[in-house]
Amino acid sequence: MNGGRTTGNTDQGSGRQTAAAGAGTGAAAAAGPSTSSGSALPDGDGVNLESVESLDQSNDLDRGLSKRHVQFIAIGGTIGTGLFLGSGKSIGLTGPSIVLVYIAVGLIMFILMRAIGELMYHDPSQHTFINFVARYLGGGWGHFAGWSYWIVLILIGLTEITAVGTYCVTFFDTFGIDVSSWKWLIELCFLAVLVLINLIAVKAFGEAEFWFSMIKITLIVAMIVTALVMVAVGYHYPAVQIHGVDAPSPAGHAGFSNILNGFSLAPNGWMSFLMSFQMVFFAYEMIEFVGVTVSETQNPRDVLPKAINEIIVRVLIFYVGALLAIMLIVPWQSFKPNKDGSFTSPFIMVFQYAGLNWASGLVFFVVITAAASALNSLLYSAGRHLFQLAEVSKSPILGKLGVVSERKIPARAIIVSALLILLAPAINALPQVSTAFVLFSSASSAVMIFIYILVMIAHRRYRASDDFNADGFVLPAYKFTGSVAIVFFVFIYLTLFLAPDTRGSAIAGLLWLVLFGGYCLLGNRKASQGGLVKPHA
């Protein structure tokens, strides 16, 4: 066990903090300096960032993730199933202006990642960025954020394993094979394989994420190239029955007129435009996952800044580029819901217009890998967060999960998290339980907004503390950019109250904040008064 690391109101930075540095950061500081894992970085006043080797004295995990792994893990965290399946609904909400929404939300999420990056750069031995909430906001909020984040991961995991089974059934259905009765077995096998990958070694997890990301990237690039070629040759396509669309799609052509004709910032009203922000925001959810890998990354102070700074490029290519390519082929007015309210994948539409009738099978194969990638990452992250919670817990039972295996993996925490995710088939089989789960699952997205806000406030406290080092991976103009991010997250939460299908999530999220948050703060205050925890400096 890593007895050296503590949370709660205990000063986690004890013995590893640095003195405040000068106010100037410079361009090099904003971009993030480069250093090997064992070196120390001098700031302008001659004070050093503690070396990673020194900080790692209390880090029992293996630094087996290479630069290649982390870069593709970051890409995988950016690209989820929402792009492949949900982008049609996004376009249908507000037309071509959805591109502006993706850019705006992407910039805010980049600010969040720069804040997380600065904190993790300062202490790359931390298993999760959530630890900084306890360090700079106190043990009460740290307890709330830590347990809330882990619970959110489990709830999302339950959703993802169900999605994997559903996508597999759809994939085989495109070839006329019915495997719906084996859905539970498919889910079990997928989960077992992913748990095994996570238990082998962190390098095995990194390799799996590398190839999962490669598959997703290949499909996106292929779709963008297909669209560009179709536009270049002035491609015309006939009317065709798209898989997953109720009515036949009319004939059309590839060209910029599909985007420009009837362009309006809010063609379906300002309410739809506002709702598009929350949809895009949740598409970016879990982008922070790369912040959980730092304690197991080789040369983290080299790799982390590069992986985070490349987020903007990834957003422009994989989201903005993909959406523009789709709308070059399919007129944005064509994205209408089916009778059951569903939208087909725009990727399927583009490839079928290009004459690939097996496009549906191809896209759902990639969607399966995207869902498997998300589940793989969730297992990894949930295992590390439960491990961290167990490490600092005073409960003897929970403390047994705060140990690593011979392979330097938090195996027990991963297995316990996986067993909870394995409840998905049982939950889906019980209608009343399933209905409650849908509410809790949707509420988890609302809770994530609270966690993001707490992280931004913790970052602000870090910048005002003696820990701050100006030669770290510094978020530029942090008071302004941090405030913009916090205001934006509050705005997203408020939009949840605008629609009946998200209002329940918003209310449930507030109840969780008040009840569980109040419980954590009250418990921490009692512990401090009782002398069990040293008050946070």
Side-chain angles (χ1 to χ4, degrees), residues 108-179:
I108 298 297
M109 300 308 284
F110 178 64
I111 292 172
L112 172 69
M113 288 307 303
R114 284 298 300 260
I116 291 174
E118 182 173 358
L119 293 170
M120 295 302 295
Y121 189 96
H122 172 70
D123 187 354
S125 71
Q126 295 297 318
H127 304 317
T128 165
F129 59 91
I130 297 293
N131 287 351
F132 295 98
V133 175
R135 182 181 295 185
Y136 296 109
L137 300 184
W141 284 120
H143 192 77
F144 170 80
W147 280 105
S148 295
Y149 195 80
W150 180 72
I151 292 170
V152 166
L153 291 173
I154 297 300
L155 290 172
I156 296 176
L158 287 163
T159 303
E160 290 295 345
I161 190 62
T162 302
V164 167
T166 302
Y167 298 151
C168 283
V169 169
T170 305
F171 171 75
F172 283 104
D173 184 60
T174 61
F175 300 100
I177 304 173
D178 183 13
V179 297

Side-chain angles (χ1 to χ4, degrees), residues 2 21 26 56 66 68 87 128 155 163 167 179 191 196 212 216 222 277 305 391 404 456 494:
N2 297 347
D56 269 356
S66 67
R68 170 175 61 91
S87 50
T128 165
L155 290 172
Y167 298 151
V179 297
L191 186 61
L196 182 61
F212 281 145
K216 292 187 284 188
F277 277 90
E391 240 191 348
V404 297
M456 293 305 304
L494 292 177

Side-chain angles (χ1 to χ4, degrees), residues 94-98 100 257-267 332-333:
T94 190
S97 63
I98 194 65
L100 303 177
S257 60
N258 289 331
I259 296 177
L260 300 176
N261 285 346
F263 176 82
S264 172
L265 190 61
W332 61 268
Q333 298 94 335

Side-chain angles (χ1 to χ4, degrees), residues 47-86:
V47 179
N48 292 337
L49 277 167
E50 289 190 72
S51 71
V52 177
E53 288 179 350
S54 172
L55 294 168
D56 269 356
Q57 291 178 9
S58 58
N59 180 17
D60 291 338
L61 301 183
D62 178 34
R63 289 197 176 275
L65 295 175
S66 67
K67 177 181 178 181
R68 170 175 61 91
H69 292 146
V70 174
Q71 286 177 328
F72 279 84
I73 286 171
I75 293 173
T78 309
I79 307 169
T81 56
L83 175 62
F84 300 108
L85 296 180

Side-chain angles (χ1 to χ4, degrees), residues 140-149 151 447 509-523:
W141 284 120
H143 192 77
F144 170 80
W147 280 105
S148 295
Y149 195 80
I151 292 170
V447 172
L510 284 177
L511 289 174
W512 179 259
L513 176 66
V514 172
L515 297 178
F516 185 58
Y519 166 79
C520 292
L521 292 174
L522 183 62

